[in-house]
Amino acid sequence: MKAKVLSIAAISLVLASGSAFAQSSTVTGAAGGAATGAVVGGPVGAAIGGVAGAIVGTAIDPPPRRVVTYVEEQPIPNDSVVVRERVVVGRPLPETVVVRRIPDNPKYAYAVVNHERVIVEPHSRKVIRVLE
């Protein structure tokens, strides 16, 4: 029993550290998670790692440097919003926040919320990156 608890703890640690680096696809995430889980926890670890890796793997690719530069160079709009919710990568922005598309790259949009510039996925409004 103690070995299983340690295995699960080790899997959690490995997957948590891996989630800091967004996978580029669900397949890559699932495969990597399953391999890591199998090494640490055997067949059960492979199953848990595969599911967790697939979840991490669904993250959108980080924006290219030119998108970040574009957002950084834009003036602060007059309609920037302050909201109670914390702006968190992976969560959508509230509907009250105005999201502006990036002309040269329709895969990304941006907003200024709580005095922070954020890059979002335009359709879901999911925060991809918070710029400081």
Side-chain angles (χ1 to χ4, degrees), residues 93-110:
L93 290 176
E95 292 296 323
T96 57
V97 176
V98 176
V99 173
R100 292 172 167 74
R101 293 199 178 259
I102 296 177
D104 292 342
N105 198 329
K107 185 177 178 181
Y108 302 98
Y110 75 98

Side-chain angles (χ1 to χ4, degrees), residues 9 16 28 49 54 57 60 66 69 74 76 85 94 99 104 111 116 118 129:
T28 303
I60 193 166
R66 69 180 187 279
T69 301
Q74 297 308 301
I76 300 290
E85 296 90 2
V99 173
D104 292 342
E116 294 179 306
V118 296
R129 182 168 172 190

Side-chain angles (χ1 to χ4, degrees), residues 1-11 40-41 44:
M1 180 66 176
K2 186 176 179 180
K4 278 188 177 182
V5 171
L6 290 175
S7 294
I8 291 172
I11 291 169
V40 177
V44 174

Side-chain angles (χ1 to χ4, degrees), residues 16 25 52 55 58 60 62 76 87 90 100 107 114 120 122:
S25 71
I55 292 168
T58 60
I60 193 166
I76 300 290
V87 177
R100 292 172 167 74
K107 185 177 178 181
N114 294 348
V120 300

